[in-house]
Amino acid sequence: AQSVTQLGSHVSVSEGALVLLRCNYSSSVPPYLFWYVQYPNQGLQLLLKYTTGATLVKGINGFEAEFKKSETSFHLTKPSAHMSDAAEYFCAVSPRPGGGNKLTFGTGTQLKVEL
Amino acid sequence: DTEVTQTPKHLVMGMTNKKSLKCEQHMGHRAMYWYKQKAKKPPELMFVYSYEKLSINESVPSRFSPECPNSSLLNLHLHALQPEDSALYLCASSQVDLGLAGINEQFFGPGTRLTVL
């Protein structure tokens, strides 16, 4: 069974500061990994994903994440926060091909960006 | 076109009403999903359709009735709902997992905000 843990349900940063949102997964086989962002009263938008290959993944809006198998982590970072980054962020995992389409979400991290 | 559309955006209904939520995608995806999301919580999977057939029902109460009339459309019929069913209902679509290499990422719609009085 797969599971995802997001440390910190709320993260607050100053505008221009580094954003770091933590995600750890538990799976017998390295899964596919995703970060989604959700703005208030909207659906989920895919920020980035990791499947295979390069472990540093770049996504939209200046975000990136690094897959670290030894640490079972997939933390999301952005060098300089912008006010528009304030949103809910979800880390999610899905099985590799053949394992079904089911996404397992973390509990989410609310990012607040302050002036 | 990488968009999933959902109608209506907002819906208010009484506990005796019958209403339907609609979802549409034109990406050629043959897997479609319904999720329920309560405030400050992650989406919870309700149903999965694969090739227009129900493949997963996550023990959802029968007052929620899904329907997939064709490969582009997904409906969720609602009847005799309870106030605790008030939530954001999200639709998503993806390629079907055929056990082949490649990503089967899910694309989400904007959701329908449902309020049950």
Side-chain angles (χ1 to χ4, degrees):
Chain A
Q2 300 176 119
S3 67
V4 181
T5 301
Q6 289 184 242
L7 285 176
S9 58
H10 293 83
V11 170
S12 184
V13 301
S14 299
E15 192 174 33
L18 172 71
V19 175
L20 171 60
L21 304 183
R22 299 177 185 275
C23 173
N24 288 87
Y25 69 89
S26 174
S27 177
S28 55
V29 176
Y32 285 170
L33 294 153
F34 307 83
W35 275 100
Y36 284 90
V37 62
Q38 186 175 33
Y39 298 100
N41 298 312
Q42 293 188 27
L44 275 69
Q45 181 182 9
L46 183 68
L47 277 176
L48 48 79
K49 62 194 177 197
Y50 171 77
T51 56
T52 57
T55 56
L56 182 62
V57 179
K58 294 188 184 300
I60 62 172
N61 302 339
F63 284 94
E64 60 183 38
E66 185 171 11
F67 170 66
K68 291 187 177 181
K69 184 178 177 181
S70 61
E71 297 177 9
T72 60
S73 69
F74 191 56
H75 301 331
L76 182 71
T77 60
K78 182 174 180 178
S80 177
H82 191 273
M83 295 295 289
S84 60
D85 295 326
E88 187 84 22
Y89 291 80
F90 292 101
C91 182
V93 299
S94 74
R96 292 195 164 266
N101 284 56
K102 200 169 176 179
L103 267 181
T104 300
F105 287 94
T107 51
T109 297
Q110 180 74 44
L111 176 65
K112 183 178 180 181
V113 181
E114 299 173 317
L115 285 171
Chain B
D1 183 3
T2 59
E3 189 179 0
V4 177
T5 58
Q6 290 187 244
T7 55
K9 289 187 64 123
H10 302 274
L11 178 62
V12 179
M13 61 186 291
M15 290 190 285
T16 59
N17 292 158
K18 285 185 180 181
K19 297 287 184 182
S20 296
L21 309 184
K22 296 185 184 301
C23 173
E24 189 167 7
Q25 57 88 15
H26 294 288
M27 293 178 277
H29 292 163
R30 301 301 294 277
M32 296 187 76
Y33 313 76
W34 280 116
Y35 289 85
K36 174 183 178 180
Q37 187 181 26
K38 302 285 273 185
K40 307 298 184 187
K41 298 290 187 183
E44 298 173 30
L45 183 65
M46 300 174 71
F47 303 103
V48 181
Y49 272 82
S50 181
Y51 296 111
E52 296 85 69
K53 294 192 186 306
L54 185 64
S55 59
I56 296 177
N57 176 343
E58 292 285 339
S59 302
V60 178
S62 59
R63 57 186 184 269
F64 295 91
S65 176
E67 178 196 20
C68 191
N70 62 55
S71 60
S72 300
L73 292 173
L74 185 67
N75 298 321
L76 186 63
H77 303 297
L78 314 173
H79 174 54
L81 294 193
Q82 303 296 311
E84 59 265 28
D85 296 321
S86 298
L88 182 67
Y89 288 84
L90 295 165
C91 174
S93 70
S94 76
Q95 302 285 359
V96 173
D97 179 19
L98 299 176
L100 304 174
I103 189 69
N104 295 319
E105 67 183 86
Q106 293 186 23
F107 292 80
F108 285 81
T112 293
R113 174 72 61 187
L114 174 67
T115 302
V116 182
L117 301 175

